[in-house]
Amino acid sequence: MCFEDEAGFTRRPPTGRTWGRRGTTPVVKVCGRGSGRISVAGLIAMRPGSRTRLCHRLRRHTGRKGERRSLSEHDYIGLLDGVHQLVRAPIVLVWDRLNTHVSNAMRDLISARDWLTVFILPAYAPELNAVEYLWAHVKRSLANLSSVALDRLESLVRNRLKRLQYRSDILDGFLTGTGLSLDLPPPSP
C-alpha cells in the first residue's frame, strides 16, 4: 500500500517560531521573489513484514517562459514504475484529487499497468494522507532558512528526504498519524 502527495518549495521559507530576547523580534531577511521553485512528489510505501519506504521525485523550475511549473503525468508514472521495481509487488495507491491525478492521460497510463490499483481520497481530507505529515516535517526543518540559490534549496530538500528514507520509525509515525487501520483482516475460515 502506498500513499502519494506532492509539495512545492521556494526560496521564501516557511515561517517558524524561535526564541529571542524580550522586546526584540528575530527577523530573517529573505529575497526569494521570482526565483523558481522545487516540486517534489513523495510516496510512502508500506508492506506487512518489511520496513516502510520513502520514494520521491524532484523537479526544479527556474521560472523560464513556457516551462511547466508542476510535475507531469509522466513524472508521477515514472515514480510509480520505480516503486514497483523496488517492491516487486502489486501496488495499491492512495492519492488526492489533483488535476494531474485524475486527468484522461493519467487514467490511460494507470490502465496500462495491471499491477496498479488506485484509490482517490475524498475532497478536503488531507489528514488521511500520511505524506502530508512528511511535508509538514520537512517544511518545519526548513523554517526560517534563508537559502542563497535554488541549487542549494534543492540539495537541502534532497538531504532531508534522504535522511528520512532510513528512518522507518518516523515514516511509521506518519502512517499512524492518519488514524487509518492498516492491519490485514483475519483469514476467513
Side-chain angles (χ1 to χ4, degrees):
M1 176 169 243
C2 298
F3 291 90
E4 191 277 336
D5 195 39
E6 52 289 319
F9 297 89
T10 63
R11 286 182 50 201
R12 188 167 296 239
T15 57
R17 296 176 185 233
T18 185
W19 293 95
R21 290 185 175 271
R22 183 179 298 169
T24 306
T25 303
V27 177
V28 177
K29 294 185 180 186
V30 179
C31 60
R33 191 173 59 206
S35 59
R37 64 184 270 128
I38 306 291
S39 294
V40 187
L43 188 137
I44 294 179
M46 58 142 326
R47 185 178 191 182
S50 65
R51 70 180 182 88
T52 305
R53 297 177 181 266
L54 169 65
C55 300
H56 61 276
R57 183 159 290 210
L58 275 85
R59 173 169 276 204
R60 182 175 13 161
H61 313 284
T62 57
R64 292 189 181 113
K65 190 171 183 170
E67 183 182 31
R68 187 180 174 104
R69 290 182 38 92
S70 62
L71 295 161
S72 68
E73 288 90 349
H74 293 286
D75 292 323
Y76 290 112
I77 285 297
L79 175 65
L80 293 173
D81 287 340
V83 170
H84 178 63
Q85 288 179 350
L86 180 70
V87 298
R88 298 173 195 245
I91 292 178
V92 176
L93 176 67
V94 178
W95 62 11
D96 56 7
R97 295 181 179 272
L98 182 70
N99 58 358
T100 310
H101 295 167
V102 294
S103 69
N104 290 332
M106 182 58 81
R107 278 192 216 121
D108 294 340
L109 291 168
I110 290 171
S111 64
R113 287 153 177 81
D114 57 347
W115 47 264
L116 181 60
T117 305
V118 176
F119 291 99
I120 298 177
L121 288 170
Y124 305 111
E127 68 277 359
L128 298 177
N129 194 341
V131 186
E132 293 284 353
Y133 297 100
L134 168 77
W135 298 137
H137 183 80
V138 171
K139 288 186 177 188
R140 193 175 317 115
S141 73
L142 296 173
N144 294 334
L145 176 72
S146 178
S147 178
V148 178
L150 198 59
D151 295 340
R152 176 74 178 134
L153 177 63
E154 182 180 1
S155 67
L156 286 170
V157 171
R158 281 186 194 275
N159 183 320
R160 300 299 196 276
L161 292 172
K162 186 73 168 172
R163 278 194 276 169
L164 285 170
Q165 282 181 321
Y166 299 103
R167 299 290 309 268
S168 60
D169 55 334
I170 293 177
L171 298 175
D172 290 338
F174 297 152
L175 289 166
T176 304
T178 63
L180 299 173
S181 175
L182 300 174
D183 296 329
L184 294 173
S188 58

